[in-house]
Amino acid sequence: MNLRRGVGLLAAAVVMVPTGCTAQRKAADRADARDQPVAVAVTPADKTRDVPISAEVGTSVQHGRITAVKLTDDKGKQVTGEPREDGSSWVPSKPLQNGRTYTAEVTATGAKGRTATRATTFTTAKKSDKQAVTSVLYFAGNQTYGTAMPVTVAFEPGIPKEARAAVQRRLFVKTDPPQPGTWSWLEDGTQVYYRAPDFWRPGTKISVRSALEGLPIGKEYVGDSDRSSASKIGRQVKLEIDNATKQMSVFQDGKLTRKIPVSLGKPSTPSSSGKMVIMEKHQQTTFDTRGEPDGGYVVDVEDAQRYTWGGEFIHAAPWSEGDQGYTNVSHGCANVSSTAADWLMGVTQVGDLIEVKGTEVPLRPGNGWTAWNVGWDEFAKGSALPVPAGLKPSPTPTTPHPGAVAGGSPEPAPSGSGG
């Protein structure tokens, strides 16, 4: 035998042996795992007292999976709920009641059909005397929103950084068909936005729950309320306003449908440049700026659409029609003709994207629903919880000009009232 060839065969044989052993070990490990008894752990721990009414039934299992959770109160009434997607807990569909005792039974099933059930009994705390954080959910139910509509929750006072993860875990969004996203906090904690990497697809159904009632928030506060709503996404609309040309371009489903002359904010009261979202629509409203630094006037306006908390609107301005398309004369709003404003009211939805370019000042974070004024990577940095690494914008947008959302919403006291 050739010595070189013999050594090669021996080396090949040596390499092959551990491979077979490894495969055998893995098969044995799998068999051992199937023979292991199912182990289940549940929280709150048995006989725990003063549990917040925002409590969830924590579940963990070894050598099996959770197949049933039953939660009943001290009168024998069963509590409805559902598991989190990651299986870490079971979430009651409504807040628990203060000063009540609950029993949770959690069942897990192993590979060979073996089951194990663990039970825990706990008592919720009495109604807290701590101050409640005021929260507002800006996502009304039974609405049709544009493709850029962020789910927004506002807080007063703002949520401190150390409490944001706990609050974020109690904010739930479901989309049908699935289009996952993440929450992102403003630096001062006064608003948190939820959006996906791409604009919502038309026809998507979105359900939201802000389940904050009774949630401990830091040492001084608790959550105020548990709110839920469900709406859908309508057609794609986007408005582009260019200060250089003093023109608004209106896109529907990526196609330019109309150009409208505008007059933006004059140099002393400039309009904001950035990506904003229509927040509310009014057939008629009153701008009252008395007491504001650059205000002092009261005027009734028609066909007004707000897009910043600072008081920037698109609205009919018959008094500036001679300037529209040529000169900026407003107090920061986008002035259009009465005819154009009336037409826009029939086209736009709350949540439609508005992009203003080329003005003297950039859009301030939080001055409106500013979730789209940053790229996805920057937006994701604002999450208080880990964001899946694979959650990224599509290489090719689903629509050339993605855009907006619609619906009604309450508003905090604005710092300005248009012009």
Side-chain angles (χ1 to χ4, degrees):
M1 171 185 281
N2 181 284
L3 181 60
R4 184 182 300 274
R5 183 169 176 269
V7 171
L9 289 173
L10 178 61
V14 170
V15 169
M16 290 172 63
V17 171
T19 303
C21 292
T22 301
Q24 291 172 1
R25 280 199 303 272
K26 288 182 178 179
D29 290 343
R30 287 194 295 269
D32 289 344
R34 286 194 294 268
D35 290 334
Q36 293 290 332
V38 180
V40 183
V42 182
T43 58
D46 193 38
K47 298 181 181 179
T48 301
R49 303 185 66 84
D50 296 326
V51 174
I53 60 173
S54 59
E56 304 173 14
V57 178
T59 59
S60 65
V61 61
Q62 290 181 322
H63 312 300
R65 60 187 179 87
I66 302 297
T67 50
V69 177
K70 182 180 180 182
L71 182 65
T72 53
D73 63 20
D74 45 21
K75 295 182 180 180
K77 183 177 180 181
Q78 190 166 337
V79 177
T80 60
E82 61 183 355
R84 286 184 176 272
E85 290 185 4
D86 62 4
S88 61
S89 67
W90 184 89
V91 184
S93 57
K94 293 182 179 179
L96 303 179
Q97 295 181 339
N98 291 108
R100 301 287 296 277
T101 298
Y102 293 85
T103 299
E105 294 182 355
V106 178
T107 300
T109 303
K112 290 188 175 182
R114 297 173 179 169
T115 62
T117 299
R118 294 291 180 269
T120 183
T121 298
F122 60 91
T123 302
T124 55
K126 295 181 180 179
K127 188 171 179 62
S128 176
D129 57 2
K130 293 181 180 179
Q131 184 177 346
V133 171
T134 300
S135 65
V136 180
L137 172 61
Y138 290 104
F139 193 87
N142 301 313
Q143 304 292 325
T144 299
Y145 287 108
T147 58
M149 181 70 173
V151 178
T152 302
V153 184
F155 302 94
E156 176 59 41
I159 306 298
K161 286 186 177 181
E162 61 271 18
R164 292 177 192 174
V167 171
Q168 188 172 324
R169 277 187 61 82
R170 295 292 293 172
L171 303 176
F172 303 92
V173 178
K174 292 183 179 180
T175 56
D176 180 22
Q179 195 176 349
T182 191
W183 293 92
S184 182
W185 292 84
L186 288 183
E187 184 63 29
D188 63 3
T190 57
Q191 293 184 72
V192 64
Y193 307 119
Y194 183 95
R195 71 170 177 89
D198 300 311
F199 294 96
W200 301 120
R201 301 184 190 99
T204 299
K205 297 177 181 178
I206 303 177
S207 60
V208 181
R209 182 183 176 195
S210 175
L212 300 177
E213 185 173 347
L215 177 72
I217 300 177
K219 296 180 180 179
E220 302 178 18
Y221 297 95
V222 294
D224 64 340
S225 187
D226 195 302
R227 301 179 177 90
S228 297
S229 64
S231 285
K232 65 180 180 179
I233 300 303
R235 62 185 180 278
Q236 179 274 317
V237 177
K238 180 183 179 182
L239 310 180
E240 291 183 358
I241 302 174
D242 189 346
N243 186 40
T245 62
K246 307 292 186 294
Q247 297 288 320
M248 173 193 296
S249 299
V250 181
F251 295 91
Q252 294 186 57
D253 299 318
K255 297 180 181 179
L256 178 65
T257 60
R258 185 169 177 176
K259 285 201 169 189
I260 297 171
V262 300
S263 179
L264 297 174
K266 56 190 175 183
S268 60
T269 54
S271 301
S272 300
S273 279
K275 294 179 180 178
M276 295 155 267
V277 174
I278 295 175
M279 304 166 70
E280 59 192 33
K281 300 173 63 172
H282 303 277
Q283 296 260 334
Q284 185 173 19
T285 190
T286 300
F287 294 160
D288 186 347
T289 68
R290 291 174 295 185
E292 297 179 9
D294 298 312
Y297 63 88
V298 179
V299 61
D300 293 330
V301 296
E302 295 184 349
D303 298 327
Q305 305 190 52
R306 177 192 286 271
Y307 51 93
T308 72
W309 290 128
E312 294 177 60
F313 291 73
I314 299 171
H315 66 83
W319 56 85
S320 71
E321 288 189 15
D323 295 299
Q324 292 165 19
Y326 303 100
T327 308
N328 290 336
V329 297
S330 84
H331 290 83
C333 290
N335 288 183
V336 298
S337 69
S338 296
T339 300
D342 180 68
W343 178 81
L344 281 169
M345 287 288 283
V347 170
T348 60
Q349 307 152 105
V350 168
D352 283 346
L353 191 72
I354 299 176
E355 184 171 6
V356 180
K357 303 176 182 178
T359 66
E360 296 87 341
V361 295
L363 177 66
R364 178 170 48 84
N367 185 16
W369 301 335
T370 55
W372 291 100
N373 201 43
V374 294
W376 173 254
D377 289 343
E378 186 67 25
F379 182 81
K381 288 179 183 178
S383 173
L385 296 172
V387 177
L391 204 57
K392 296 289 184 182
S394 300
T396 303
T398 54
T399 56
H401 290 274
V405 181
S409 60
E411 65 180 72
S415 58
S417 301

